[in-house]
């Protein structure tokens, strides 16, 4: 099971409605993934600023103290915005270095993402309640990724919720299960990737991030994944500029894409696309197996 | 797409709007009805729309449907003016199910009888485990179509994906376009006069005209796999 949604806006006028539209989509897939949910919103970029999104593990975290310690470590300003159990740390320093330091030194919290555009939020429980608590529907941006989870490969925890992010402005949501994730995790650890869960999907995210750090384009990384990732999957991968969809060669896990002049939407099922404005004029198709589809705002 | 106004109405024609009525109440109403024409509006990708019909009903659904639409259909004539999700007309027994758009995977799975017509493409595993249903796809079908199909016919006017007819029993497959690859134990067979005649009758029933049936290729089981042969033990 699990439900995936993604919305890529071509029409800038819709950007202020990104959260509302993503919420409409995600609510349709609550029953495909009733145990947890998460979403990534791309937008609100400020020159020279990296955003690091975090969530506390159990008890409340003193985010100001975390920010101060991070600032003195990386020698750069760090500002905090608290949102429920989440915090967005904004820094002029390196997001990559900050992420590694935070994972190694702040055990009371998880790092969800880092980048100039991405903001990631996750929770455990009914997806509709998570959407409301974290105010998804008020958010603006250029594109979004969302997920409702029915856990199979690891525990129902906030860390096990999707999206998973390991690289700059990159995140991944997954419907399916991987069978070679333990061995792959060992290989990626040796290459310096950091993991925060036992989850198979986090390994897929780290795999793609590692390939892209090594010079692969997203398209190329996904194609290499067809060889290296064993299992069932529909992946939706967000980047700063857009998103990409790929299904494994057997393609048991469903996916639908719809495109209009104003937007591109991807979802596990059509019913999540049905509430979008102008859907009656959309070109609708099912992505072919083992084929990557990508959309980008980059020129 | 057909305009709503062009759908013929009778005195028993009723509009059922899924914005106003629950799916369960719409399905129950149709289960309790033996005949009549119905138009269902606002399906919005919901699952199991008009499952389990058993009557001389004519049902038109205006919009895209979700999983298992018209599953287990008996006698009813269901038309979907849109696309269908996974498992449309799965295990149908008789009647006609007509999808005007594309169908997702496992269309007509395990179907026992009747006719399923898909105007667009059908994706993977179309007609999997077919048991007597006839399927006509005007576009192309995805990989592993007619997997383990026992009886019935799959007719494809376009192309077929990888592994067509894998582990096939006695279903007959006809493809007009290219077949990417045949599955284990599926072979091409001679298209004889009786097959051409049967194909023409079936295409007529599906509303497909002006097609040269001689352009089709016929595929069927080599019957090497389903009679146990010790040399094949490793294949099981």
């Amino acid at each position: 099971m699990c439900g995936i949604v993604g919305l890529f806006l071509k029409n800038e006028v819709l950007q202020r409605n990104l959260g509302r539209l993503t919420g409409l989509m995600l609510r349709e897939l609550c029953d495909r993934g009733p145990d947890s949910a998460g979403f990534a919103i791309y937008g609100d970029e400020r020159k020279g600023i990296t955003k690091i999104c975090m969530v506390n593990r159990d008890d409340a975290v003193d985010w100001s103290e975390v920010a101060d310690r991070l600032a003195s470590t990386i020698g750069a300003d760090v500002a905090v915005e608290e949102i429920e159990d989440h915090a967005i740390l904004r820094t002029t320093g390196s997001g990559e270095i900050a992420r590694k330091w935070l994972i190694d030194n702040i055990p009371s919290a998880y790092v969800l993402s880092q980048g100039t555009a991405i903001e990631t939020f996750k929770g455990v429980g009914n997806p509709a309640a998570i959407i409301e608590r974290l105010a998804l529907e008020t958010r603006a941006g250029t594109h979004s990724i969302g997920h409702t989870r029915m856990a199979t490969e690891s525990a129902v925890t906030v860390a096990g919720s999707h999206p998973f992010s390991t690289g700059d402005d990159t995140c991944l949501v997954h419907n399916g299960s991987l069978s070679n994730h333990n061995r792959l995790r060992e290989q990626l650890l040796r290459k310096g990737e950091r993991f925060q869960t036992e989850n198979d999907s986090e390994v897929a995210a780290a795999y793609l991030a590692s390939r892209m750090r090594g010079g692969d384009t997203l398209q190329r990384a996904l194609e290499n994944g067809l060889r290296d990732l064993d299992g069932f999957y529909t992946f939706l991968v967000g980047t700063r500029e857009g998103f990409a969809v790929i299904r494994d060669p057997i393609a048991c896990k469903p996916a639908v894409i719809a495109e209009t002049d104003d937007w591109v939407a991807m979802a596990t099922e059509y019913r999540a696309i049905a509430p979008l404005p102008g859907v009656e004029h959309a070109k609708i198709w099912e992505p072919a197996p083992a084929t990557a589809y990508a959309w980008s705002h980059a020129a | 797409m057909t305009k709503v106004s062009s759908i013929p109405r009778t005195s028993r024609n009723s509009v059922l709007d899924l914005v106003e009525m629950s799916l369960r109440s719409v399905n129950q109403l149709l289960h309790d009805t033996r005949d009549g024409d119905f138009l269902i509006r606002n399906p919005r990708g919901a699952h199991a729309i008009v499952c389990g019909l058993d009557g001389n009903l004519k049902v038109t659904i205006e919009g895209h449907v979700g999983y298992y639409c018209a599953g287990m259909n008996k006698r009813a004539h269901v038309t979907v003016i849109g696309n269908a999700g996974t498992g449309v007309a799965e295990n149908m027994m008789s009647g006609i199910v007509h999808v005007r758009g594309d169908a997702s995977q496992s269309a007509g799975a395990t179907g026992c009888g009747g006719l399923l017509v898909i105007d667009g493409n059908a994706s993977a595993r179309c007609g999997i485990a077919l048991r007597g249903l006839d399927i006509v796809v005007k576009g192309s079908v995805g990989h592993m179509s007619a997997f383990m199909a026992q009886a019935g016919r799959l007719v494809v006017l376009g192309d077929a994906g990888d592994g067509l007819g894998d582990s096939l029993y006695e279903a007959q497959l006809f493809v007009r376009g290219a077949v990417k690859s045949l599955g284990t134990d599926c072979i091409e067979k001679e298209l004889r006069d009786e097959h051409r005649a049967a194909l023409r009758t079936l295409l007529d029933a599906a509303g497909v005209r002006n097609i040269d049936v001689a352009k089709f290729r016929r595929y069927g089981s080599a019957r090497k796999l389903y009679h146990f042969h010790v040399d094949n033990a490793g294949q099981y």
Side-chain angles (χ1 to χ4, degrees), chain B residues 103-119:
Chain B
S104 184
Q105 58 184 320
S106 304
T110 75
C112 289
L115 175 63
L116 169 62
V117 181
I118 297 162
D119 286 356

Side-chain angles (χ1 to χ4, degrees), chain A residues 32 250-252 269-270 286, chain B residues 47 64 67 104 123 125 143:
Chain A
R32 288 193 68 97
I250 293 171
C252 284
E269 292 183 39
Y270 171 74
E286 194 169 274
Chain B
H47 294 184
H64 307 304
Y67 291 14
S104 184
S123 62
R125 295 171 278 274
H143 62 279

Side-chain angles (χ1 to χ4, degrees), chain A residues 14 20-21 24 260 262-263 273-280:
Chain A
L14 289 173
R20 188 177 66 77
L21 297 173
L24 285 174
T260 69
D262 291 333
W263 46 258
I273 295 171
L276 294 177
V279 71
E280 59 278 13

Side-chain angles (χ1 to χ4, degrees), chain B residues 60 62 161 167:
Chain B
T60 303
E62 188 187 47
S167 306

